[in-house]
């Protein structure tokens, strides 16, 4: 997910005055109106930048918590299926043991000395005694198997209870991160609404990204292989799609969602968050970036974009700004990853 952008030095790439306006833009038109009494912040652009960055960090945490919650739901569903099957197995074993007990009783399962005293036919007694011995051996084995199955069932139930508790904690974490994002964006809306009309107009123009004069010429930027080419083609197909926090396409994206969606079209599964995408491949110096590489921003890796050549990236910037091109040095680069 990306929001407000601040230019920072990045060796080997050109950045013009037009880029500065883009990286300072925010989404007044898409963010909506707030009461006119909202007081302007003394340094509105810096404050919006700070709020957007904080919201971006919370969004990546929201994505991570949501991804873990989804995985836990699948694990819990699978575990509940296993528990049901194991319980059925135990029930069947208990029925079999009951049948054995009944067979033993019908075969004369009483004290051997007493049985011998009352037996009219010693051979009949010996035959029945042999059958009882076989039943006892079989029952002992089945009892051990039943005990083992019951221990497994108890362990599975305990583990599933732990996963359910973790799932509930994850649900609360998702709600907390969502509330943080919404709080930061609401405050940004207030600040934007309190800005002078001329500043708001500049923000609106830049955030829409239309009629821009600095669209890059990427005709000579060749992808190093077919996978990178497929990912770039997908990212370009998303140009103009709206920024939607927590979204991974196809109708809207946040920053890491766009990268995951684009590389899925190349047959590569990227993790969901920008922090995890940072390590989804091998890292290269910025000076050696190739089209298709992931450019990760800020020391906390809270924003990610795709390098497309000629000093440009494609990314989902911030609320109100569509997927678009921007200079690679739009903010401090922390690493470059080649999936």
């Amino acid at each position: 997910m990306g929001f407000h952008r601040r230019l920072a030095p990045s060796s080997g790439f050109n950045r013009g005055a037009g880029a500065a306006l883009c990286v300072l833009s925010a989404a007044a038109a898409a963010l909506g109106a707030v009461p006119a009494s909202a007081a302007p912040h003394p340094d509105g652009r810096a404050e919006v930048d700070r709020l957007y960055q904080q919201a971006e960090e919370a969004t990546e945490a929201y994505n991570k918590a949501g991804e873990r919650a989804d995985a836990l739901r699948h694990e819990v569903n699978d575990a509940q299926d296993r528990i049901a099957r194991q319980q059925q197995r135990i029930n069947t074993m208990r029925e079999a043991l009951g049948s054995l007990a009944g067979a033993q009783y019908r075969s004369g399962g009483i004290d051997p000395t007493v049985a011998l005293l009352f037996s009219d036919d010693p051979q009949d007694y010996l035959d029945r005694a042999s059958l009882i011995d076989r039943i006892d051996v079989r029952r002992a084995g089945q009892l051990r198997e039943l005990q083992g199955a019951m221990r497994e069932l108890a362990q599975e139930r305990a583990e599933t209870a732990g996963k359910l508790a973790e799932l509930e904690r994850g649900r609360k974490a998702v709600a907390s991160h969502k509330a943080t994002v919404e709080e930061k964006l609401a405050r940004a809306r207030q600040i934007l609404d309190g800005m002078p009309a001329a500043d708001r107009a500049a923000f609106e123009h830049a955030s829409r990204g239309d009629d821009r004069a600095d669209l890059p010429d990427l005709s000579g930027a060749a992808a190093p292989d077919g996978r990178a080419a497929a990912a770039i083609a997908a990212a370009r197909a998303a140009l103009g799609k709206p920024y939607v926090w927590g979204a991974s396409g196809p109708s809207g994206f946040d920053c890491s969602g766009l990268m995951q969606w684009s590389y899925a079209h190349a047959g590569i599964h990227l993790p969901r968050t920008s922090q995890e995408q940072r390590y989804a491949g091998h890292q290269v110096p910025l000076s050696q970036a190739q089209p298709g590489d992931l450019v990760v921003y800020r020391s906390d890796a809270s924003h990610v974009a795709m390098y497309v050549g000629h000093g440009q990236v494609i990314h989902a910037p911030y609320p109100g700004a569509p997927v678009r091109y921007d200079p690679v040095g739009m903010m401090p680069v922390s690493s470059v990853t080649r999936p």
Side-chain angles (χ1 to χ4, degrees):
M1 169 181 176
F3 293 109
H4 178 59
R5 302 287 165 250
R6 179 178 299 157
L7 285 175
S10 176
S11 59
F13 296 98
N14 294 324
R15 300 172 300 280
L21 177 60
C22 295
V23 301
L24 288 172
S25 60
L31 289 175
V34 296
S37 59
H41 193 275
D43 187 2
R45 291 186 175 187
E47 179 67 1
V48 169
D49 181 70
R50 184 182 70 84
L51 290 166
Y52 275 163
Q53 180 172 343
Q54 291 174 350
E56 186 164 42
E57 294 165 358
T59 296
E60 289 305 291
Y62 169 87
N63 290 336
K64 178 65 176 177
E67 184 180 46
R68 178 57 181 158
D70 288 341
L72 278 171
R73 273 189 287 271
H74 287 298
E75 291 176 15
V76 167
N77 288 338
D78 291 343
Q80 288 173 336
D81 288 342
R82 290 193 300 270
I83 287 171
R85 290 194 297 270
Q86 185 74 326
Q87 185 64 65
Q88 182 59 47
R89 179 187 172 211
I90 287 172
N91 293 342
T92 301
M93 292 167 67
R94 282 174 171 163
E95 291 174 2
L97 281 167
S99 299
L100 278 173
Q104 186 179 27
Y105 175 79
R106 289 190 298 274
S107 300
I110 59 177
D111 181 86
T113 303
V114 176
L116 182 60
L117 288 174
F118 287 96
S119 175
D120 294 330
D121 184 353
Q123 185 60 46
D124 177 62
Y125 161 76
L126 293 174
D127 292 342
R128 285 187 293 159
S130 175
L131 174 61
I132 291 170
D133 287 342
R134 290 197 300 272
I135 291 176
D136 282 342
V137 170
R138 182 181 175 191
R139 184 168 65 171
Q142 289 196 336
L143 277 171
R144 287 192 297 270
E145 186 180 0
L146 175 60
Q147 290 168 346
M150 292 179 71
R151 284 194 298 269
E152 292 175 6
L153 179 61
Q155 180 177 351
E156 186 81 58
R157 281 176 169 163
E159 292 175 356
T160 301
K163 289 178 180 178
L164 283 169
E166 184 181 352
L167 181 59
E168 177 61 18
R169 291 193 297 270
R171 186 192 65 77
K172 292 178 179 178
V174 168
S176 175
H177 294 313
K178 179 179 180 181
T180 299
V181 173
E182 292 173 341
E183 175 191 351
K184 301 301 180 183
L185 295 182
R187 177 59 183 150
R189 285 197 297 268
Q190 291 179 333
I191 294 172
L192 289 168
D193 188 69
M195 284 182 176
D199 287 350
R200 283 203 308 275
F203 272 82
E204 290 178 20
H205 175 73
S207 68
R208 285 197 304 271
D210 48 19
D211 298 327
R212 295 176 63 196
D214 60 343
L215 291 177
D217 177 11
L218 302 175
S219 57
D225 55 46
R227 296 188 308 174
I232 293 171
R236 286 177 175 163
L239 286 168
K241 295 290 180 67
Y243 176 93
V244 179
W245 73 268
S248 55
S251 57
F253 303 89
D254 63 19
C255 70
S256 55
L258 175 62
M259 299 302 103
Q260 186 184 57
W261 181 84
S262 298
Y263 260 99
H265 284 72
I268 297 175
H269 174 73
L270 292 182
R272 180 60 181 90
T273 68
S274 55
Q275 288 86 357
E276 293 171 312
Q277 290 175 5
R278 180 178 194 171
Y279 301 108
H282 65 278
Q283 296 185 355
V284 299
L286 179 59
S287 60
Q288 297 178 19
Q290 296 179 355
D293 289 351
L294 304 178
V295 183
V296 181
Y297 293 92
R298 304 193 189 105
S299 60
D300 63 356
S302 57
H303 186 73
V304 64
M306 182 183 295
Y307 186 64
V308 290
H310 299 316
Q312 299 289 317
V313 295
I314 290 178
H315 67 142
Y318 48 80
V323 175
R324 71 186 191 196
Y325 295 107
D326 268 321
V328 71
M330 60 188 172
M331 69 179 84
V333 174
S334 62
S335 63
V336 177
T337 299
R338 186 163 297 155

